[in-house]
Amino acid sequence: MGRYVNSGTIAVVVALSGVAFGAQSLMADGLSLTPVRDKTVAKECAACHMLYPPALLPARSWSSIVANLNNHFGENAALDHATTKAIADYLVANAADTGGIGAKLLRDLTPEVTPARITDLPWWKRKHEKRNRVGPAALAENGAKFKGDCKACHKGAEQGSFDDD
């Protein structure tokens, strides 16, 4: 018996392990992240804005954002302590720096920087600004209200799919 394994078998095992564990993947033409699967996070966050997959930001960013819900980008989004803690715990546990493709999104982000917005991340700027995808004309053409209005251009954004639509 040889020690060789059929590469097709390896591909199937790798593909199935990704499905089984909800793995995140970086696609050639876009980004695929695990969407929010927590009912409390979905209900509270999506009540006001797009439901951003937690792997888009590092844990330190989510901690900072949730700690300042009384001034959440100019709005008072404060919640009771138990709900705030549940949301923070979920976002931190599923943040970009917990592994998967999210970690790759942070590769050019220095540890002392805590971005408050996805649009502050180096990977986002490379993907969007250098290709002039978020200029006023491009935003207006897609009906985006602001640079972080991902679902205006990426129809599956809330489900974690950031294909180049």
Side-chain angles (χ1 to χ4, degrees):
M1 291 264 175
R3 293 183 183 232
Y4 298 100
V5 176
N6 181 319
S7 60
T9 302
I10 292 173
V12 169
V13 170
V14 169
L16 290 175
S17 66
V19 171
F21 297 105
Q24 305 159 349
S25 64
L26 182 59
M27 302 176 304
D29 61 342
L31 176 67
S32 181
L33 300 171
T34 302
V36 171
R37 292 199 171 116
D38 182 272
K39 290 179 183 178
T40 301
V41 174
K43 176 185 170 210
E44 296 299 339
C45 299
C48 300
H49 57 70
M50 184 191 126
L51 192 54
Y52 294 99
L56 287 171
L57 285 172
R60 62 187 179 273
S61 292
W62 290 122
S63 294
S64 176
I65 290 168
V66 176
N68 294 299
L69 287 177
N70 61 331
N71 184 14
H72 188 61
F73 302 100
E75 300 290 329
N76 183 351
L79 299 164
D80 65 82
H81 177 73
T83 303
T84 301
K85 182 175 178 352
I87 290 171
D89 289 349
Y90 179 83
L91 294 174
V92 166
N94 293 281
D97 45 358
T98 60
I101 192 62
K104 292 180 182 179
L105 300 178
L106 302 179
R107 73 172 183 244
D108 296 325
L109 184 67
T110 58
E112 64 275 359
V113 174
T114 302
R117 290 177 161 78
I118 293 158
T119 56
D120 293 337
L121 294 169
W123 74 263
W124 190 95
K125 290 177 181 182
R126 275 192 311 276
K127 180 82 173 167
H128 297 84
E129 291 178 353
K130 289 187 178 180
R131 296 180 184 176
N132 199 26
R133 292 183 173 175
V134 290
L139 292 176
E141 180 181 325
N142 289 298
K145 297 175 184 123
F146 56 97
K147 287 181 180 182
D149 190 5
C150 305
K151 64 183 180 180
C153 299
H154 305 283
K155 305 304 178 210
E158 290 183 301
Q159 291 76 43
S161 177
F162 294 85
D163 288 344
D164 288 346
D165 297 337

